[in-house]
Amino acid sequence: MKKTNVILEKSVAFALLIIEYCEILEMNRKYVIANQLLKSGTSIGAQIHEAQNAESRADFIHKLKIAAKELEETKYWITLCDRSNQYENPEKLKAPLNELGLILYKILSTSYKS
């Protein structure tokens, strides 16, 4: 029986939420933010998935650090949407993003110690 990789599952689930939210933004003609958020929000999972086939521990850490940077950029775009009256409420993105961040930062912290 194959063990579920929680961060992989959560990163895919979050990317799907981002895609859905960005489609709403695009319907409302908020193309610039939609494009930026789509790129950073889906890149988190792409980097996490890439890290699964890292060539070394250093490469693994490097890819996860890029994922962490993308996560922080995504938080920024979500904050802008949240604080603007012109954008759809991104409330359903906040908890999954924070949870993904907690897992990601814990893996990074553990990877440095090993």
Side-chain angles (χ1 to χ4, degrees):
M1 188 154 128
K2 189 174 180 180
K3 188 176 177 182
T4 302
N5 187 323
V6 174
I7 196 164
L8 291 179
E9 294 297 321
K10 290 192 179 291
S11 68
V12 168
F14 181 73
L16 292 171
L17 288 174
I18 284 290
I19 291 167
E20 183 181 301
Y21 181 75
C22 289
E23 286 175 351
I24 293 168
L25 291 183
E26 287 182 358
M27 283 190 289
N28 292 318
R29 303 179 68 178
K30 305 297 184 191
Y31 304 114
V32 174
I33 299 292
N35 188 39
Q36 293 293 331
L37 184 56
L38 184 64
K39 285 179 182 178
S40 66
T42 57
S43 181
I44 299 165
Q47 293 298 327
I48 290 168
H49 278 73
E50 242 185 87
Q52 304 310 301
N53 291 304
E55 296 175 12
S56 64
R57 178 179 304 198
D59 186 37
F60 177 77
I61 291 170
H62 176 71
K63 286 180 179 16
L64 289 186
K65 285 174 78 175
I66 294 170
K69 288 179 180 183
E70 296 293 342
L71 186 133
E72 294 303 326
E73 180 180 342
T74 300
K75 281 184 185 177
Y76 172 75
W77 296 120
I78 289 172
T79 299
L80 290 182
C81 292
D82 190 39
R83 292 185 184 176
S84 172
N85 295 329
Q86 307 298 314
Y87 287 82
E88 180 79 19
N89 187 319
E91 195 61 40
K92 72 178 189 176
L93 299 173
K94 292 178 186 178
L97 181 61
N98 287 335
E99 190 175 348
L100 192 55
L102 289 172
I103 297 166
L104 180 58
Y105 288 120
K106 181 66 177 175
I107 292 169
L108 276 169
S109 173
T110 304
S111 296
Y112 286 126
K113 293 175 185 174
S114 300

